[in-house]
Amino acid sequence: MHVRKVPKERERELSDVKRVYAFGGGRTEGNRDMKFILGGKGANLAEMAKMGLPVPPGFTITCQACMEYYDSTPPAFPEGLAEEIAEYVSELEAKMDKTLGDVEDPLLVSVRSGGAFSMPGMMDTVLNLGLNDASVQGVIAQTGNERFAWDSYRRFIQMFSKVALDLEGDLFENAMNVMKMDRNVANDTQLTAEDLRELVDIFKGIVSEHTDAAEFPQLVVDGSVIFPQDVAIQLRLSIEAVFRSWNNRRARDYRKMEKLDDSLGTAVNVQTMVFGNKGDTSATGVAFTRNPADGTNELYGDFLTNAQGEDVVAGIRVTQPLADLPKVLPEAGKELYEVFDTLEQSYRDMCDIEFTIEQGKLWMLQTRVGKRTARAALKIAADMVDEGMITREEAVMRVNPAQLDQLLHPQFDVDATYDELAKGLNASPGAAVGQVVFSADDAETAAAEGRKVILVRWETTPDDLHGMVAAQGILTSHGGKTSHAAVVARGMGKPCVCGVESLKIDASKKQATVSGTDTVLHEGDLISIDGTTGIVVLGAVELVEPEVSGDFDTILSWADEFRTLGVRANADTPDDAALGRKFGAAGIGLCRTEHMFLGERKDILQDFIIAEGQEGREDALAKLLDVQVGDYLGIFEAMDGLPVTVRLLDPPLHEFLDSPRELEVEIVKAECAGMSAEELAPKRRLLSLIDSMTEMNPMLGLRGCRLGIMFPELYAMQVRAITMAACELKKAGKDPRPEIMIPLVSLKAELETLRAETERVVAQIQAECGVEIDIPIGTMIELPRAAIMAEEIGQSADFFSFGTNDLTQTTFGFSRDDIEAKFLPRYLERKIMPRNPFETVDEGVAKLVEMGCAGGRAANPGIKLGVCGEHGGDPDSVRVFHEIGLDYVSCSPYRLPLARLAAAQASLAESAGTSDNR
C-alpha cells in the first residue's frame, strides 16, 4: 500500500518550534503549499487570504503539534504551545478589535480540524466558541437580535458538549424535540428567543448531570459540574478535542480506506465566526465549481438562508440549489460566482467551497480541491485539457486509479421492468441490490456473514462510516447532495440515494414506511437503489455492467501513451478473455487450467487419478484432451494476435477428488441401509485412495511442477491440447500466441526436465499438423528459493511470471486463508504489519521479485518478466513493479483500467522525479 505521508522535499519545512500560523486581517504566514504543516484547510485559508478574498481572520495550529500532543502519556499540549496560542489569540483580538468573552462586544470563534488530505466529516468542529452567560448579552446588545444570540449559545453548548465533553448528541436533540412538541412547532426556526433561552438552561443542566467530574475537574465549581464560563477553558478543551478526533474510529477507518498515514496529524484552525443565521439577508452554503457527480461544467451546491453551516451538511433542513442564490441575495450571489472563477483558475482544478453570507457580506470559510466521482474526475480532467487549463500528463495524474472501480460497478438493466417505490436525490452514481439494514453495526455484521445489504438511515453521520464501507449502497430519507452520506459515498464509489422524504424510518423497530403506499420495509427485505437516477425499488432489479467509453477511453488512451509497463489479463475462459481485450489487455498473463477441470470434468480427472491401470488413465486423458482443445481454441481466438500464458495444472490432485469425510458418511449410511460388503468395496477402495493422498500441508506438497514429474502424462496431455488448438487456428489464418508456464519451480533441474518433455510434445504435434509456431516456455516464480536462484533457473526459461500470492505466503510462512480470518486483523490494528500483504505487495516480497528479475536477466537478457498475482491490479503495487522494471503486470479484467492508469502515473512520476502525494 502506498501510504500517503509527508514527502521528503517537505520535511525541511517542518518547524520544531513554530506551532501556530496567522491568516487574514493583514498578516498571513502560510500558503497552499504548506498542507503538511497547516493541513489542507489551514493552507487554503492562508492562500485565499493572500489572494485578497474575504476570509475571516484566525490562526492555525500545526499538524505536528497534534502529533506532539500524542507523544505524551496521557496526551497533553507540548511545552510552550499554550503560551503560543495565547499570543495568537491576543493578535486576533487586536485585528478584530474584540475580545473573547467580552460582555459588550465579544469575539466568537470556530475551532475546526484540517488534515493534510481531505477527510470530510471524519473529525470534529466547534462553532460559536466564546459565548457564556455574560457574553451572550453582549451579542444581544450588538445585534439587537435576541433570538440569534440565544440560538448561537444553544448551538455552542450542544456542539461543545458532544465534541469536547464526549456527551451523547441525542441528549440535546431529544430535549429540543420535546420543546418543539410542547410548543407545537415543526422546525427549530419556529422556536422563539424565550424558548431558546430556556433551552440553554436545559442544555446546561444536561451538561451538569452527564459530565464526568473526574475527567473534567476544571468544570467543577462548589462540588458540581457547570458548563464552562471561562473562555480560555472553552478554547483549550476544544483544541484538545479536535486533536483527539484525529484518532476517533471514523477517522481511523477513513484513513485506512484512503491509505493515509496515521502519523500526519490534524491541524486546528481557530477562526473568527461569521454568521449565516442573522436573518433573511444571511445564508450559508457548500458549493463546487463543477458538478462533482458527473463533471459537468456548472456551479453545483446547496445553501440555506438564516442558518449555520452544519444545517446544510447535516440534512436537518431542506436546502435550496445554488442556482437560486443570485435571486435571493443578488449582490452576494454575484460576488460568490466571481470567487468561484478566481479559485478554479488559481487552483486549476474543481474546487469545493464553504461560504457564509452575514447580513449581505460574503465570507469564504474554506476551499480545497473537491472530491468527485470517477465519472466526474475523468470528465473534468478531459475538459480541462480541452480548455487549455492543464496538460494531458496532468490529466492522467489527476485521476485516482482505485476510483475507476466505480465505473465498473453495475447499473440497472435498461430492459428491466420494475415499479418505482420512491425517489430521492441522485447523490452518488451506480446501482446496488441488497437487504435492508437500519444501523451501521448491523451492516458490518451482515457483510461479515457474506450478506449484501443497503444501509437505510434518516441521515448518516461520520459514526456510520464502518457501516457505509460494509454496505453495497446507502439510502437516506433526509439530506442533500452535499450531505455527509452523499460526500462520503461518492468518495467510496458507493451508490447513494439521499433525501427520500417519503421514507419514514423507525430505526428502533427496524422498519420504514413509504408515504402514499402500503409498503412497510422490514430489516432483511430486498431493495434496489440507483444512485444515478435517485430511484428506489422494492425487490431485486437486474444489474448490468457499464460500457467503457467517452472520457474513460480518452484518459486511458492518454495513459497508454505514457506508460512503459505492459498490462495483461488473468482469464480462464473465452468470455473472460474477450472482456480483458475490451478493457485494453495486451494479452493474457495467467490462464489457470485448474479452473477448466471443475463441474462435470472433475469426474473425468478423478477417473484419471484413481485409475488402477495405464489403460484407464489413457481413457481419461483422451476425454480431457478433447475438452481442453476446445477450451484453448476459444481463449486463443479471443486473444488472436496477443500472447496467452497458460499455466499447467497447479493444485494438489486431491482437490479434484470427492471429500473423504462425505464419502465416509455415505458408506456408513449405505451400511445402515443394508448394502453388502461387496457392493461397498469400490467406495471403500476410493476412500482408502483419497486418504492415502491427503497431505498435512498440501499447498507445500504434491502440486505444481511436482505433479508434472510424478504424472508426466497429465502435463503432456495439456501441452498437446495447447499445441493442437494453436495449430488449428494457425491453419485457419489466425495468429495464436500461446506461452506455456510451468508452476512452482524451485530447482533448475525441475524446469529443465519439464521443459525438455514439453518441447518434445510441441515438436511432435507441430510435425503432425504441419505447422510451426513459436511457443515460449517459462516458469512461475512463487517460492523464495526460485527468486534467489533465478540466475540458474533463468537459463532454461523464456519468461518468468511472479506469482506474488503464493510468494507472499511462502515468504511470510503463513496461509492466506487462515491469517486473514484470524490474526491479520489484530496485526493491522496493532500496526505490527502496516498493510495486508495480499492486497499491496510487501517490501520483502518486492525485494525477492527484484532479485528474481536481476537473476533472470543476468541468465537471459531477453527474458520476459511479469507479475500475475492479484497485486497486478493494485495501483500501489503496480507502482512498485514499475520501479523494479518488470515488463508487464497481469490482473483480473475489471482491474485492467486501474492497472493501465497506475502504470502511466508511475512512469510520469518517475520522469518528473516525484512521488504521488495527491
Side-chain angles (χ1 to χ4, degrees):
M1 177 173 64
H2 184 71
V3 177
R4 294 182 284 180
K5 54 181 70 178
V6 180
K8 294 291 184 184
E9 62 267 24
R10 307 296 304 160
E11 289 180 351
R12 64 181 177 272
E13 297 184 14
L14 305 187
S15 169
D16 293 329
V17 178
K18 185 171 177 59
R19 301 189 182 97
V20 187
Y21 290 73
F23 61 82
R27 189 170 88 98
T28 297
E29 297 177 290
N31 58 62
R32 70 180 173 198
D33 295 326
M34 296 176 66
K35 69 176 185 177
F36 291 100
I37 300 170
L38 305 178
K41 184 175 294 183
N44 288 323
L45 283 168
E47 185 71 19
M48 287 196 295
K50 284 194 167 183
M51 292 168 65
L53 298 180
V55 175
F59 57 85
T60 300
I61 304 166
T62 66
C63 299
Q64 289 67 48
C66 172
M67 298 318 295
E68 287 182 274
Y69 172 81
Y70 282 108
D71 286 342
S72 302
T73 305
F77 272 13
E79 184 177 353
L81 177 59
E83 291 76 12
E84 194 172 356
I85 291 171
E87 291 176 14
Y88 276 80
V89 168
S90 296
E91 179 182 332
L92 180 60
E93 289 175 330
K95 285 179 178 179
M96 302 306 298
D97 195 24
K98 293 183 179 184
T99 304
L100 277 172
D102 186 67
V103 298
E104 294 183 358
D105 188 11
L107 172 67
L108 303 183
V109 297
S110 62
V111 181
R112 299 173 182 261
S113 61
F117 297 97
S118 176
M119 296 173 58
M122 299 302 113
M123 293 180 287
D124 290 331
T125 294
V126 176
L127 303 180
N128 305 335
L129 188 144
L131 281 170
N132 56 27
D133 293 349
S135 63
V136 70
Q137 298 298 330
V139 173
I140 294 171
Q142 289 296 319
T143 64
N145 189 334
E146 189 173 359
R147 189 192 183 283
F148 160 75
W150 289 111
D151 184 44
S152 299
Y153 195 11
R154 72 88 186 164
R155 287 173 184 267
F156 171 53
I157 297 173
Q158 184 172 356
M159 193 174 289
F160 177 89
S161 301
K162 182 181 178 183
V163 170
L165 306 182
D166 201 27
L167 298 187
E168 289 291 332
D170 286 348
L171 293 170
F172 302 92
E173 285 295 332
N174 292 340
M176 176 171 280
N177 288 334
V178 168
M179 176 167 282
K180 285 192 290 187
M181 285 190 288
D182 286 346
R183 304 299 191 268
N184 195 28
V185 298
N187 300 315
D188 305 350
T189 54
Q190 294 174 282
L191 294 174
T192 67
E194 188 57 38
D195 293 333
L196 292 167
R197 180 173 186 166
E198 183 181 335
L199 201 57
V200 164
D201 289 336
I202 293 171
F203 281 7
K204 288 193 291 185
I206 291 172
V207 172
S208 297
E209 181 180 352
H210 294 276
T211 302
D212 185 344
E215 187 176 355
F216 298 99
Q218 63 270 59
L219 305 188
V220 177
V221 176
D222 296 331
S224 299
V225 172
I226 65 164
F227 185 81
Q229 299 296 302
D230 185 333
V231 293
I233 292 176
Q234 293 177 0
L235 184 59
R236 172 75 176 245
L237 289 178
S238 296
I239 293 170
E240 289 191 12
V242 173
F243 279 163
R244 287 197 307 273
S245 72
W246 174 252
N247 271 339
N248 65 35
R249 174 175 174 172
R250 61 183 185 267
R252 294 196 309 271
D253 287 347
Y254 188 86
R255 290 198 296 275
K256 180 179 178 182
M257 178 180 70
E258 293 291 322
K259 301 180 181 179
L260 298 174
D261 187 0
D262 286 335
S263 67
L264 288 170
T266 181
V268 180
N269 300 286
V270 178
Q271 186 175 22
T272 302
M273 281 293 302
V274 289
F275 297 92
N277 58 334
K278 278 190 174 181
D280 292 338
T281 60
S282 300
T284 188
V286 176
F288 298 82
T289 57
R290 301 191 186 213
N291 189 317
D294 63 19
T296 301
N297 191 354
E298 63 182 4
L299 298 179
Y300 178 103
D302 303 296
F303 77 98
L304 284 170
T305 55
N306 196 21
Q308 285 198 309
E310 72 269 23
D311 296 336
V312 176
V313 298
I316 294 170
R317 289 169 54 188
V318 178
T319 58
Q320 292 179 258
L322 190 67
D324 290 348
L325 182 60
K327 304 171 191 174
V328 178
L329 297 168
E331 290 186 15
K334 179 183 176 183
E335 184 182 0
L336 181 64
Y337 278 25
E338 292 171 353
V339 168
F340 288 162
D341 186 59
T342 299
L343 288 172
E344 184 168 281
Q345 291 298 320
S346 176
Y347 281 80
R348 299 167 59 245
D349 207 342
M350 181 195 81
C351 292
D352 172 0
I353 296 160
E354 292 181 18
F355 65 91
T356 284
I357 299 168
E358 182 181 83
Q359 295 179 325
K361 166 67 176 173
L362 174 67
W363 293 99
M364 303 305 297
L365 304 185
Q366 174 172 294
T367 192
R368 59 191 173 196
V369 171
K371 288 190 174 294
R372 64 205 74 179
T373 65
R375 179 183 174 194
L378 292 167
K379 180 168 177 57
I380 290 169
D383 284 354
M384 286 188 169
V385 170
D386 292 341
E387 293 162 15
M389 195 177 294
I390 62 174
T391 65
R392 289 184 175 189
E393 289 86 348
E394 288 175 304
V396 168
M397 293 299 289
R398 287 265 177 99
V399 181
N400 182 353
Q403 203 180 15
L404 292 184
D405 220 13
Q406 294 178 20
L407 297 178
L408 307 177
H409 286 265
Q411 304 288 332
F412 279 4
D413 187 339
V414 294
D415 296 325
T417 57
Y418 52 83
D419 293 324
E420 181 181 308
L421 176 66
K423 189 166 185 177
L425 300 174
N426 52 331
S428 183
V433 177
Q435 297 176 358
V436 171
V437 294
F438 293 96
S439 77
D441 289 343
D442 288 342
E444 188 174 52
T445 299
E449 295 170 354
R451 291 187 287 130
K452 294 182 177 181
V453 297
I454 304 294
L455 179 61
V456 179
R457 302 284 284 159
W458 185 79
E459 163 58 356
T460 63
T461 71
D463 292 328
D464 291 320
L465 180 66
H466 59 294
M468 298 174 75
V469 170
Q472 301 295 306
I474 298 99
L475 171 63
T476 72
S477 59
H478 285 257
K481 291 183 179 180
T482 54
S483 65
H484 176 268
V487 172
V488 174
R490 283 197 297 267
M492 291 192 296
K494 301 271 186 180
C496 178
V497 177
C498 283
V500 184
E501 295 184 354
S502 62
L503 193 65
K504 308 302 179 185
I505 299 170
D506 188 336
S508 62
K509 293 183 179 178
K510 295 188 176 182
Q511 68 179 38
T513 58
V514 181
S515 300
T517 75
D518 296 328
T519 301
V520 179
L521 292 177
H522 299 93
E523 184 173 70
D525 287 349
L526 202 62
I527 63 170
S528 304
I529 64 170
D530 185 349
T532 306
T533 63
I535 290 173
V536 181
V537 177
L538 182 61
V541 176
E542 180 131 1
L543 305 180
V544 294
E545 298 300 328
E547 292 292 325
V548 178
S549 60
D551 299 315
F552 190 105
D553 280 340
T554 298
I555 297 295
L556 287 180
S557 68
W558 294 342
D560 291 339
E561 292 175 15
F562 303 134
R563 65 180 169 91
T564 57
L565 187 66
V567 178
R568 298 188 186 184
N570 296 342
D572 311 323
T573 67
D575 287 346
D576 284 348
L579 187 62
R581 190 157 196 156
K582 172 185 172 183
F583 285 150
I588 292 178
L590 177 62
C591 177
R592 291 158 289 207
T593 55
E594 60 268 17
H595 291 178
M596 301 173 183
F597 294 120
L598 301 177
E600 295 178 358
R601 300 181 186 185
K602 181 179 175 182
D603 294 335
I604 304 176
L605 188 55
Q606 178 167 290
D607 289 343
F608 166 80
I609 297 168
I610 66 176
E612 295 182 355
Q614 188 62 28
E615 184 178 349
R617 286 190 173 182
E618 289 179 355
D619 287 344
L621 287 174
K623 295 176 183 177
L624 288 173
L625 178 64
D626 287 341
V627 295
Q628 282 270 272
V629 170
D631 292 332
Y632 299 132
L633 280 171
I635 292 172
F636 295 162
E637 189 164 15
M639 278 288 167
D640 189 55
L642 297 174
V644 176
T645 304
V646 181
R647 183 179 70 186
L648 301 182
L649 199 63
D650 183 39
L653 286 182
H654 80 268
E655 289 192 8
F656 300 98
L657 298 175
D658 293 336
S659 165
R661 301 291 69 85
E662 290 180 7
L663 184 57
E664 194 170 27
V665 170
E666 186 181 333
I667 290 171
V668 171
K669 287 182 176 179
E671 281 182 321
C672 293
M675 187 175 288
S676 68
E678 183 178 357
E679 292 174 306
L680 286 172
K683 290 185 180 295
R684 292 191 186 280
R685 282 195 298 272
L686 177 59
L687 178 60
S688 177
L689 175 64
I690 295 173
D691 281 339
S692 71
M693 297 185 70
T694 300
E695 298 175 291
M696 293 297 292
N697 194 337
M699 297 311 292
L700 297 178
L702 182 58
R703 57 166 290 213
C705 67
R706 301 157 197 170
L707 283 176
I709 291 171
M710 294 297 294
F711 301 95
E713 63 271 40
L714 187 57
Y715 270 20
M717 178 276 297
Q718 290 194 286
V719 174
R720 186 173 292 112
I722 292 166
T723 311
M724 289 172 64
C727 288
E728 183 176 333
L729 290 172
K730 186 77 171 181
K731 284 182 175 181
K734 301 291 185 180
D735 184 17
R737 299 186 185 184
E739 301 174 343
I740 295 174
M741 181 159 66
I742 297 167
L744 210 73
V745 163
S746 61
L747 301 166
K748 177 184 178 183
E750 289 174 323
L751 183 56
E752 287 178 332
T753 300
L754 292 172
R755 182 184 181 105
E757 293 176 1
T758 298
E759 289 176 332
R760 187 162 50 250
V761 174
V762 169
Q764 176 191 341
I765 298 302
Q766 290 194 2
E768 292 173 0
C769 296
V771 174
E772 287 190 11
I773 302 175
D774 179 35
I775 302 181
I777 300 170
T779 187
M780 201 167 188
I781 304 295
E782 47 196 325
L783 296 172
R785 189 185 191 280
I788 294 168
M789 303 302 292
E791 191 167 354
E792 280 193 3
I793 295 172
Q795 296 170 18
S796 301
D798 298 319
F799 64 87
F800 283 168
S801 182
F802 292 87
T804 51
N805 296 343
D806 273 357
L807 187 57
T808 299
Q809 293 193 95
T810 54
T811 298
F812 278 99
F814 51 46
S815 163
R816 172 178 185 171
D817 293 336
D818 291 330
I819 72 148
E820 288 196 319
K822 294 179 182 174
F823 64 82
L824 182 58
R826 178 61 64 87
Y827 268 49
L828 296 175
E829 179 184 337
R830 299 188 63 183
K831 303 189 186 307
I832 293 171
M833 296 180 75
R835 64 194 70 87
N836 183 336
F838 292 105
E839 294 178 358
T840 299
V841 67
D842 168 72
E843 60 182 354
V845 174
K847 285 185 178 180
L848 284 173
V849 173
E850 188 171 19
M851 185 183 300
C853 289
R857 285 192 172 123
N860 176 4
I863 195 169
K864 290 291 184 183
L865 302 170
V867 160
C868 62
E870 291 182 24
H871 297 113
D874 171 63
D876 293 327
S877 301
V878 169
R879 188 178 298 108
V880 173
F881 297 140
H882 169 86
E883 292 168 356
I884 288 172
L886 291 176
D887 294 308
Y888 68 87
V889 295
S890 190
C891 58
S892 69
Y894 286 106
R895 304 287 287 179
L896 286 166
L898 285 70
R900 290 164 62 193
L901 184 59
Q905 291 180 348
S907 181
L908 289 170
E910 182 181 57
S911 299
T914 61
S915 59
D916 177 16
N917 287 290
R918 288 171 294 120

